[in-house]
Amino acid sequence: MNETTGKYRPDLRIYHASAKGNGCALKMNLHPAHDDSDGCIMAVFANQMSVGDRRLPEPTYSRFDWENAVVVKLDFNDLCKMLQVLRGECESIEDGKGLFHVSSKASTVINLRHIIEPVSGYMFEVSRTMNDGSAPRRAHILLASHEALGIAEAIAGSLAVISFGIPMLVPHDTSAYKAEARRAADAGAAA
C-alpha cells in the first residue's frame, strides 16, 4: 500500500512452490505511460525460500524470497515479443537468445520459451549478472498453458495504456467538427 495515498497497486501473482524447495513466484504489475514516462509491466521473480506442509495441525506454507527478488522492466517491445511466443508465432524470444537489458550496474537476460518436455508449458526465466563480479542471480517459473493464456490476455489488454497512458478528456474546441457534421446532414437531407 502506498502510505501517502492509501491506494494499492494491483498485481498479478502466480506461486509455484515445489516440494524440493526450488519453486518460484512471479508478480507482474502494470505501470501506464504518463507525462514523460514510458509505460511498462514490472515482472518480479522470487525464488522459493522454504517448503511448507499444509497437512500439519498447524499448517505451514512455502515462503518466497521477495527481498532478494529479480525485478525486470518489460517495455512495449519486450511485451510484444513475449506475445509472439504466447500466441504461437515463434517458440522462443529471439530464437532462444532472449531479451538483453543492460544498465550501469548489471546485465539481464530474460527469456520466454514454449516447452513440451517434461510437461507442456512456457518457461519464463531471468538471469541477472551484476557488474561487481558477484554470482549471477537466476529465477524461472514454468507457466501452465492456462496461466500463459491469462498472461497473454493481460499483456494484450495492457498495451494501450502502456503505449498511450490512461485516457483523459482534454477540453478542446469542437465547433468546426459540429459545423461540418451539420453541413453533411443538411446535404444528405436535401438529396
Side-chain angles (χ1 to χ4, degrees):
M1 180 167 93
N2 182 329
E3 297 299 323
T4 58
T5 63
K7 295 181 182 177
Y8 291 89
R9 177 180 292 279
D11 53 45
L12 167 67
R13 292 182 188 222
I14 298 174
Y15 294 90
H16 284 201
S18 158
K20 295 179 182 178
N22 60 356
C24 186
L26 171 66
K27 176 173 73 170
M28 300 175 83
N29 55 42
L30 173 63
H31 293 260
H34 63 88
D35 300 327
D36 62 349
S37 179
D38 292 338
C40 69
I41 290 178
M42 299 298 283
V44 183
F45 294 80
N47 286 317
Q48 186 175 349
M49 291 174 30
S50 68
V51 177
D53 190 347
R54 293 183 289 180
R55 298 171 296 171
L56 298 172
E58 301 257 345
T60 59
Y61 299 94
S62 298
R63 291 186 354 208
F64 296 86
D65 191 3
W66 294 107
E67 195 169 304
N68 294 305
V70 180
V71 181
V72 293
K73 178 181 178 181
L74 302 168
D75 66 15
F76 177 83
N77 288 320
D78 299 336
L79 295 166
C80 289
K81 289 178 182 184
M82 288 178 64
L83 278 176
Q84 285 183 301
V85 175
L86 295 169
R87 291 179 173 171
E89 293 177 25
C90 55
E91 288 297 304
S92 62
I93 295 174
E94 300 292 340
D95 292 323
K97 295 180 203 117
L99 304 166
F100 291 93
H101 290 191
V102 179
S103 72
S104 61
K105 296 181 182 180
S107 42
T108 306
V109 179
I110 306 153
N111 209 344
L112 176 66
R113 56 192 168 91
H114 180 235
I115 63 169
I116 298 171
E117 295 293 331
V119 295
S120 181
Y122 292 82
M123 183 63 71
F124 192 14
E125 51 201 344
V126 62
S127 175
R128 173 162 296 144
T129 304
M130 302 302 290
N131 294 343
D132 65 6
S134 58
R137 291 185 5 220
R138 293 183 172 87
H140 66 275
I141 188 166
L142 176 61
L143 301 169
S145 295
H146 69 279
E147 293 168 326
L149 173 64
I151 288 173
E153 292 297 318
I155 290 171
S158 301
L159 286 179
V161 296
I162 288 169
S163 303
F164 304 110
I166 298 172
M168 56 188 271
L169 185 60
V170 177
H172 62 282
D173 182 11
T174 59
S175 58
Y177 303 120
K178 290 178 182 175
E180 186 177 329
R182 274 194 306 275
R183 282 192 298 275
D186 292 343

